Amino acid sequence: MHEFDLIGVIRDRCAVAREDVRLGIGDDAALLAVPAGHILAVSTDTLVAGVHFSQSTKAFDVGWKSLAVNLSDLAAMGATPAWATLALTLPGADAQWVGQFADGFAALAGEFKLALVGGDTTQGPLSITITVHGFVPDGAALLRSGARVGDGVYVTGTLGDAAAGLRCLDPAEGAAAGSRPAPSTSYATLIERLDRPTPRVAQGLALRGRASACIDISDGLVADLGHICAASGVGAEIDVESLPASSALLGACDAATRHVLQLAGGDDYELCFTAGDAEALLLPGDLARSGCGATRIGRIVAGYGVSIRDADGNPVVVTRPGWRHFT
Ligand code: ADP
Ligand code: MG
């Protein structure tokens, strides 16, 4: 097994035919055609073993999640996924691991007819860098900077499951959060949300022309909504009791722990967006057709930063608003 055998393993499992791929894997560069009237949305994310996933995570799930976190960024821009490149750094030429990784990547890529058009394969500590390319009609992309005072704040799906799943796997993280989910069958559901996030691509497309601002929640709701606030020059108020939770999460921990996970846990890969009242009236139908609804969790206000209120209107303080590298 050497580099080119491994590339062959990946290429064979990730074959997706697209008219706009004039030349894919095999030459010095891919040749790709962007449809008329559209612009490219391009995003890169790296997953490092021991930082973004544990050594015990299944290769299939690493492949799935590496692509999912990238597709989530395209979703947040309202872009349609088209192509990806994959830079893979491997400690050794483990064809079985690479095959299972490629199967996980391909399972998700196939859902979106996304073509793997190139990459790089190197030896070193396990790490995966994917760059995704998507199309968006010129002028239609969802930005972080469009939130206006009076807009509602919404999230798709539910929050906190992935962070709870991490605490199921890692008791030390549980101690940091205050408590650990009680052992139950919901464990598997929570861990599945951590290992195989669902990028909200269809929801991002449904939000074009509706949402005033949008971001995907990777680092935690408060941290990521904070980016919308900073980019838009506004503040946000969140009602903690309105945060959507899955039945698995509701069954796994008490309310105080749940709120920490929902506000600051991260790894949700849901969309957080803002919309004016007129646009919000149209959202339930748009999102129902996309297969995943959204919940109103607060409002955009004058000022800066994200403030959180409990049911009595008292402030809730979040000590660890979200994941950060280098701290
Ligand atoms: P070069 O030396 O010209 O950079 P490489 O030998 O690195 O080319 O790669 C050969 C071909 O295989 C290229 O088309 C490259 O894009 C593709 N490739 C390499 N690694 C990967 C990978 N991990 N996934 C997908 N394509 C890859
Ligand atoms: Mg070359």
Side-chain angles (χ1 to χ4, degrees), residues 144-180:
R144 297 179 179 185
S145 54
R148 296 289 170 263
V149 174
D151 287 352
V153 178
Y154 300 81
V155 290
T156 59
T158 61
L159 298 175
D161 284 1
L166 182 62
R167 282 151 182 82
C168 294
L169 296 172
D170 183 351
E173 280 289 330
S179 74
R180 203 180 162 196

Side-chain angles (χ1 to χ4, degrees), residues 228-240:
I228 285 185
C229 290
S232 300
V234 296
E237 284 177 2
I238 299 302
D239 307 313
V240 76

Side-chain angles (χ1 to χ4, degrees), residues 107-120:
L108 189 57
E111 282 187 25
F112 298 101
K113 279 198 67 191
L114 174 127
L116 180 64
V117 298
D120 199 17

